[in-house]
Each structure stands twice: as C-alpha cells, then as structure tokens.
Amino acid sequence: MHSWTDTLRFAFQPVVNLTTGGVAGLEILARPEAGDILAEARRDPELDGRLAVLALRAAARKETLLPLHINVFAGTLADLGGLTPLHDAVREAGRLPWEVTIDVGPPYTHVPQQALLEAVGGLRAQGFRISADGIGDGDVPLRLLTDMAPDLVKLDASLLARPAAVRAMRTLCEQLGALLSVEGVETELQYAAAVAAGAQLAQGELFAPPARLPAADVYIPPRFPATAAIPKSGPSVREFVRPAALLPVTASAAQVRALLTGSPEVSGVLLVDVNGAPVRSVHRSRFLLSMSGRYGHALYADRPAAKLGDPPRTVGVDATAWEVLDVVAVGGSDRTSDDVAVVDRYGRCVGVVRLADLVRALAESRVEEAAGLNPLTRLPGSDAITAEVDRRIADGRIFALSWLDVDHFKQVNDGAGFAAGDELIRSVGRALQHSASGSTRVGHIGGDDFLVLADPERLDPLAVSVLDAPWSAGGLPVTLSLATVLCPPGSVTDHRQAAACLAPLKKAAKALQGASWVLGRAGLPGHEILRGVHTAPAQAG
C-alpha cells in the first residue's frame, strides 16, 4: 500500500544575503506529485510536524552545510507545544539546532496566542532560530509579532510597492534585533526596492527558483549607487553574516579534513562546545598545509582537530563592521584572513563574517560618500539629508529641518570677489559642522545654501553659533538667514512634504533685516520670528 510520503518530494530555494551576494540559507519546500498536502497540514498539526521532520531529512540527504529554513504553521506549534521529533531529527542528521530556522507561517486567526508564544519560547531555548513568515500577506497581529521577537521577519514582495510600510517594518526589526527578508522577488526593480528599503535578505525566482538540488550559484543583479552614505558607526555585522561550517570540539583532524576537501567553498571550520559556543577556529590553508606536510596525516589524523586550531575571534550580532575590523587588527598579521565568528546573546555561533566582505562594503560606502560631497565644503549634498529625513519620518521621530544661507550673496561676490565668497561659504560650513552635535546632520546643497537636520533641542545652540558670529567677506559685513520647520510624528509623509513646508519660511526669513531666524510647524499656519526685524516700508514722496 502506497503512503503519501511515496509521492512527496522537496525543493530547495536559496535565501540570499543582499550585502554579500552569497547564499545565507536554504528554505525547504514540500512538492507533492498529487493532492494538496499543505492544505491538509494546515488542518492537521501532526501531519505538519511530520512534514517538518521529512524536510530536515531531505536536506540531510543532500549533504548541504547551509543553514536551513523549515516551514511550520502557527497552529501546529500552538497545538503540539513544540516540535520534539524535529529536534531529534536534527541531532540524528548531525546538525545543530541554531543552524535551523523555523519559519512560522499563517494563518494566525483562532490560534491560541499564549500557547504559540510558549511553543516559540521552547524552540528558542533548544537553540532553534525563529522566523515570522508571510508578513504583509498574512494575518499576524502586530502585537503578537512583537511578542514573538523573531530572529527574522519575512515580508511578501507585494509590500515593496508601499515603501513606507517596508521602512516601518525595517525600523521594527531594528528594535526587535531581527533581520528583514523579502520573499517572492521576481524582478530587478523589486530587488532594487528591497535593497533601498534596507532588507538584508531576500529570495525569489530572480535569484534562483526552487530546485531539487540546492543551488550552488544565484543571480545577483548589479548593485546601484546608494542614496545615502553608511553612517560612521558602520553597517551592522548582521548584513555580512555567512553560514559557518561547524563541528563539535571533539572532532578529529581527519573529520575536519574530510569536510574541507569535500567543500572547497568553506574557508574554515569552527569547533563548538555542546552549547554551540566557538572554542577553536581552524583556518583552511594553515590546517591543510599542516596535514599535507611530511608525516602530517600520520601525526594528526586521529588527534583532536582543536590542536591545529586557534582561539576564535568573535563578535556579537549587534557589532558594527568597524568593530569587526578592530577585532581583526588585534593579534598576528598571519590571521587577518581568518573568518570572525558571530555569536548571539547566548554565545552560540550564528555564522561568520569575512574580512573581504567588510572592506569592500566600507570602501564602496566611502567612495559613494565622497562622490556626494560638495567640493567646496566637503559636506554631503541634499540626497544624504533627505534620505535621513525619510528615515526619521519612518521611525516616528520629531525633527527640525532648517535652511540657512548668506544674505545678498550675489552682492558679496560682486563686491568682495569670488575667492572671498568661497572662503565665506567654507567658513559657514565649518561653523555648522563644529556646532553640530548628537544626531545633527549638515548638508551643503549648492551656492550659499545649507540644510541642517536636528533634534529640536539642538536648535538654539546651533542658531547662536552661526547667527551671532561676526561674519564678513573681504572686509564687508555679512548676515545669515535661518528658517526652520518642526515636524512632529505624522505631520509630514516624506522629505518632499517637509521641504514644501520649509519653502514659505525661507521666504519669510529673507524678508527680515539683519541676522534672521523664523520657526514654523508642519501642518500649522503662520510662524514665529526668533531673530531679525521687518523691513520698514518705503516712504512716499
């Protein structure tokens, strides 16, 4: 008698790291030859649990070292209270729980939330990573999503048509400490939108379709110039995490050699303790050189591989790329090519980062940043400021956007000369930079025009530093005009609307005599005059 498992096959679809272009994991998809097994599994938690176990075993047969994503319905977890058979299957396959991500999918309607949260907590305690799947196309309540605190959030690609929603989800992920992934990416336009929105991972037909064999290569479209420079603190290490090759700390040198010779893409092996914490780091070239030397195999094959390893270099998942470079800089130069282990808050290894990925990304960011700097002041242009405005709007933060320029600048150039005018602009730029503190951003958008983005409490010190200074060009006294619009959460939808609110305030500031400053609020009429006086009307006669 035939079983439904006789006609069940599994396909593998790569999950792509959008920063490195590498494969970060494989999602395992059930592909029955007849019937709708997923519809049955949605109604039958026991069946769904068995599918998860079969998916894991299918991946084990393919001998892939990549992290795995296994789909489970939310109702299954709430009903079964966990997936004990899956944990057993992971151990039998020689894998580690933290190499497996449970993709918890909808429907969530009528699922007992407390039971689901307890099951998720149990899986996390065992070491499994948790992904909230189907966001944007499912029915997951926002409160439940935050209570789950997933390691990964998977968005449906249809949300890319609503950039504000994707940016808001990216902000939520940052607060939760989760990565953001986009599913169903089919076009290069969707890929560009996913990257622009800050997604770190993606999957879809564009990169590689589901296949019976795990894909060795994926298609990555050419990268486009970034619209904003990477902040000085550096991008998060999460963006560069690659799968790690892990073996128990008790592994022999022969076992490590077999893994390395069978997987030429693996640059090193991390030996971990029973809790998954890195204990030793085995570098591919140094290890194989030792093993291939005279009597090397005879000397080392049956000995613990740990004796041929080094202390691991580790960083937390919340580290920045610059912090990783600091870790690499410590120690001998012979280890600069070693992978750096990335560990979670429990000290468990969740992957590795490679120095080449970090250096490339940071170098590209500096080139892009330099290309966007004004050649006179070396300040960023409007694109960097407006991109930051959009981020603060998405974050729901109050901010103040200000425009500043030199009064009658054409007369300054005509009277004092272009060289004096240029030096005045440089001096104003230096003063703005010097007064900028905290999260204040200063941009030079051309000519004598500057943009300043700041928290409201930073406004007064900045205004004092630039408006009260005695400015001159070629001996001619000069004054400045400042216009500011306060934008509370919800008052503007994007940087264009904020700029539209600022435009009439700029006109009002220019109508005043002397150093001037006017302040308005987005969505409200009128403005306050904080500096300057009205020009007296001309007398008739």
Side-chain angles (χ1 to χ4, degrees), residues 288-324:
L288 293 179
L289 186 62
S290 297
M291 290 290 287
S292 61
R294 189 176 186 184
Y295 308 122
H297 190 273
L299 285 173
Y300 298 118
D302 295 326
R303 299 182 66 187
K307 294 188 176 297
L308 293 175
D310 299 289
R313 290 173 165 177
T314 62
V315 295
V317 292
D318 296 321
T320 67
W322 291 111
E323 290 172 316
V324 177

Side-chain angles (χ1 to χ4, degrees), residues 362-379:
L362 293 173
E364 288 174 354
S365 76
R366 291 297 175 254
V367 170
E368 291 162 0
E369 183 179 8
L373 296 180
N374 186 285
L376 184 62
T377 59
R378 306 306 294 167
L379 288 172

